[in-house]
Amino acid sequence: MAIDTGELDERYDVVDYTPYPYNVPVARRRVARLTCEWGYKAVAGDAALLASELITNALLHGCLRERLFRVELFLSGSVLRVAVTDPKGERHPRTRVADPYSDQFGRGLLIVRTLANRWGVEGRTVGKTVWAELKAE
């Protein structure tokens, strides 16, 4: 549900998804579309990639069967925040070095760290939220 908060450069969107891989591209396309609609086409690709990496990490490490995960997109001034909330608060993400020849996984947070101006993790009563911010220009 996209919400126009009334401010020129303040927008918010939130959608809950079932924890299945087919929702990764669905959510990624939504983030890209909204970023463009909100007037920031230049960062739409990066926002979509950040969403994709955060969602994939949530599916692999933070989701539980039959428990939804949440994707939020928030624009305030010149900052676009992509946030993904999952139900497993005890599993916090950490960057690691992937073997370039044998590891299929392990590069997601490196991508997030490289693209985002800031990123972090917030604990919740149930679960956690992993977020990344881009300068929206």
Side-chain angles (χ1 to χ4, degrees):
M1 153 175 70
I3 298 171
D4 182 346
T5 62
E7 298 294 321
L8 181 61
D9 282 335
E10 208 165 275
R11 311 257 190 235
Y12 178 73
D13 181 72
V14 60
V15 178
D16 292 330
Y17 295 93
T18 55
Y20 297 105
Y22 62 79
N23 278 318
V24 176
V26 171
R28 180 180 59 234
R29 284 191 297 268
R30 183 178 183 87
V31 166
R33 181 179 53 79
L34 287 172
T35 303
C36 289
E37 286 177 9
W38 293 351
Y40 296 95
K41 290 181 182 179
V43 296
D46 287 348
L49 183 53
L50 286 172
S52 183
E53 293 301 332
L54 296 178
I55 294 164
T56 300
N57 277 349
L59 287 176
L60 290 172
H61 308 294
C63 284
L64 299 168
R65 182 174 290 159
E66 306 308 319
R67 294 285 307 272
L68 302 176
F69 70 91
R70 172 169 286 181
V71 178
E72 294 173 279
L73 188 62
F74 183 64
L75 173 68
S76 181
S78 65
V79 176
L80 181 71
R81 178 182 276 219
V82 178
V84 177
T85 301
D86 67 57
K88 277 192 176 177
E90 70 276 7
R91 301 235 13 215
H92 281 230
R94 59 182 175 78
T95 55
R96 66 182 183 97
V97 178
D99 181 334
Y101 301 106
S102 63
D103 285 351
Q104 180 180 0
F105 301 100
R107 293 169 185 82
L109 287 178
L110 178 60
I111 292 169
V112 169
R113 194 172 69 196
T114 301
L115 286 178
N117 295 96
R118 291 184 342 132
W119 76 278
V121 182
E122 297 171 0
R124 304 176 62 86
T125 302
V126 174
K128 68 182 171 303
T129 299
V130 183
W131 55 268
E133 293 178 344
L134 290 171
K135 198 100 161 112
E137 299 175 313

